[in-house]
Amino acid sequence: MTVRKPFVGGNWKMNTTAATAAQLAVDVACGCDDLLGRADVAVFPPFPYLDTVGKHLGNGVRLGAQDLYHEAEGAFTGEVSAGMLIDVGVGVVLVGHSERRHVIGEGDELINCKARAALGAGLDIILCIGETIEQREAGQTQQVNVGQLMAGLEAVAADQMPRVTIAYEPVWAIGTGRTATPDDAQAVHAVIRSTLADRYDGAVAESTRIQYGGSVKANNAQSLFAEPDIDGGLIGGASLKADDFVTIVTAAAQASS
Ligand code: PGA
């Protein structure tokens, strides 16, 4: 059986200032220092602070970006390319976050273009998927997640999958304080893993990390990470407080040992 190293991401969204981002980076880097052997950690600051945050993180905690555009350069006002992210030290990028899907209006096709562009440029990706409350109540949870997974990974080859993490983030749990129960989350994670086995093979399915996201907090991380198919988390609100975030990373590190 493959042992997957847990992966915890801190998605800072449109929060922090230059000064608070730098301080948060220092505190997270310091707090996670001893845990990095047992858990991978990345933070995802707003674009303008990537460079500063990268300099304050040092070499252990990875620098991530919240989004990218799939073209390499040109007349795309307001957009940021994979090459630009790599230039400032980014190693991993979110694609298809629910706020990109549901607030900004990105669809599966664009998200797949972004996934392929990021991977093609050498970035790792976290592909985010998840159902809305209406879809869950209509019994469409499995269908929606499988659909977003398959569409997001269209034309992504098996040999690129070591650089892909999936984040299952039920939309109704993001920023709401409502968390999926460990059992509910595990059930969807198991479906995601078996879909990866069908789409690729058993080895890809066993080695791909699947994070849970949606109101993960210092006091519920341990029970979520204890589930067999939950390999860490993507953390929003609680990643803005270094102490809470480090407690969550500690829970992930303990789940792996
Ligand atoms: P939350 O956000 O932890 O604030 O619910 C999670 C996410 O959007 O990645």
Side-chain angles (χ1 to χ4, degrees), residues 11 13 97 99 169 173-175 214-216 234-237:
N11 176 9
K13 307 192 180 183
H97 188 275
E99 285 139 25
E169 300 201 293
I174 296 179
S215 299
V216 178
L234 187 56
I235 320 301

Side-chain angles (χ1 to χ4, degrees), residues 223-234:
S223 58
L224 287 159
F225 298 164
E227 295 295 334
D229 287 301
I230 301 184
D231 310 311
L234 187 56

